């Protein structure tokens, strides 16, 4: 047979529940912050890779642009020969490299700014929210204490009233028999 459950004050029970709730919210906030940091790190690494790739493409294109495939025969390059097509491929590769470098830099800037602003806004909201939650939880605990005090007072007055009724009934019975 199990022992009867212990009586725990409502205010203590509420405090325990509220501290668990607060702990869970803080844990969630911490996880969200870590995720934002991981996204920011991923984006930085991705931008760096894009930048490296753009630089490598640029070096490759420059290397082949410097070569002179048709020495002295510029009409063959323009007329659509294999050399002209090759020259176009190399030029487009150089343009692609330049656009990749620009895109990588823009991506890094935009995402860096966005992640910082999101992180800061989330921190501010969390701080305000947690402060409000703690204030409301304190008010609830105070209200529970007041309720417990009033309940105790009510039971005490009820007991006094029942004792007074019993004494009055006894007195009335005595006066009838006298």
């Amino acid at each position: 047979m199990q022992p009867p459950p212990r009586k725990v004050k409502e205010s203590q029970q509420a405090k325990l529940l509220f501290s668990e709730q607060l702990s869970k919210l803080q844990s969630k906030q911490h996880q969200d912050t870590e995720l934002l940091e991981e996204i920011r790190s991923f984006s930085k690494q991705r931008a760096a890779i894009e930048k490296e790739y753009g630089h490598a493409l640029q070096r490759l294109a420059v290397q082949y642009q410097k070569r002179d495939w048709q020495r002295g025969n510029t009409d063959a390059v323009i007329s659509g020969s294999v050399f002209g097509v090759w020259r176009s491929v190399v030029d487009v590769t150089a343009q692609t490299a330049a656009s990749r470098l620009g895109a990588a830099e823009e991506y890094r800037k935009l995402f860096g700014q966005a992640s910082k602003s999101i992180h800061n806004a989330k921190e501010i909201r969390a701080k305000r929210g947690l402060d409000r939650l703690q204030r409301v939880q304190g008010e609830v605990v105070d209200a529970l204490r007041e309720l417990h005090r009033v309940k105790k007072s009510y039971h005490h007055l009820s007991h006094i009233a029942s004792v007074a009724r019993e004494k009055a009934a006894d007195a009335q019975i005595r006066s009838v028999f006298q």
Side-chain angles (χ1 to χ4, degrees):
M1 193 156 94
Q2 292 182 341
R6 296 178 67 191
K7 283 190 175 183
V8 178
K9 288 184 179 180
E10 292 86 6
S11 60
Q12 288 176 340
Q13 193 173 12
K15 273 185 177 179
L16 179 64
L17 185 69
F18 290 158
S19 67
E20 288 173 0
Q21 185 182 42
L22 189 64
S23 171
K24 287 178 184 177
L25 284 173
Q26 287 172 332
S27 174
K28 184 184 180 316
Q29 170 66 22
H30 181 70
Q31 286 175 341
D32 289 351
T33 302
E34 283 181 350
L35 179 60
L36 279 173
E37 184 59 32
E38 193 170 314
I39 291 169
R40 189 180 71 75
S41 174
F42 170 83
S43 298
K44 278 177 69 176
Q45 289 175 6
R46 180 179 171 197
I49 290 169
E50 288 285 340
K51 191 174 182 179
E52 285 178 35
Y53 183 59
H55 281 304
L57 276 179
Q58 204 171 37
R59 283 191 305 271
L60 180 67
V62 166
Q63 177 185 1
Y64 281 93
Q65 282 176 335
K66 288 181 181 177
R67 292 188 181 176
D68 188 13
W69 293 101
Q70 288 237 324
R71 294 191 178 116
N73 191 358
T74 57
D75 294 338
V77 173
I78 297 171
S79 68
S81 69
V82 173
F83 297 110
V85 172
W86 173 244
R87 183 69 170 178
S88 297
V89 167
V90 171
D91 290 343
V92 168
T93 301
Q95 290 172 351
T96 302
S99 67
R100 277 191 177 271
L101 286 171
E105 187 60 30
E106 276 301 308
Y107 179 76
R108 186 187 62 76
K109 280 183 199 173
L110 288 174
F111 201 86
Q113 292 169 352
S115 68
K116 282 180 186 177
S117 64
I118 290 170
H119 182 271
N120 290 340
K122 188 158 186 54
E123 285 290 324
I124 290 169
R125 275 195 318 267
K127 184 174 178 3
R128 286 180 186 161
L130 290 175
D131 288 346
R132 287 179 188 159
L133 178 64
Q134 285 177 318
R135 188 176 64 244
V136 169
Q137 286 176 343
E139 289 173 6
V140 168
V141 168
D142 290 344
L144 281 173
R145 284 184 184 139
E146 180 67 18
L147 177 66
H148 184 70
R149 189 185 61 74
V150 169
K151 184 177 162 183
K152 201 178 212 182
S153 175
Y154 172 78
H155 285 301
H156 180 69
L157 292 175
S158 175
H159 177 69
I160 291 172
S162 72
V163 168
R165 274 193 294 269
E166 287 176 10
K167 286 183 181 180
D170 285 345
Q172 194 176 28
I173 291 174
R174 280 189 212 149
S175 67
V176 170
F177 287 120
Q178 285 184 0

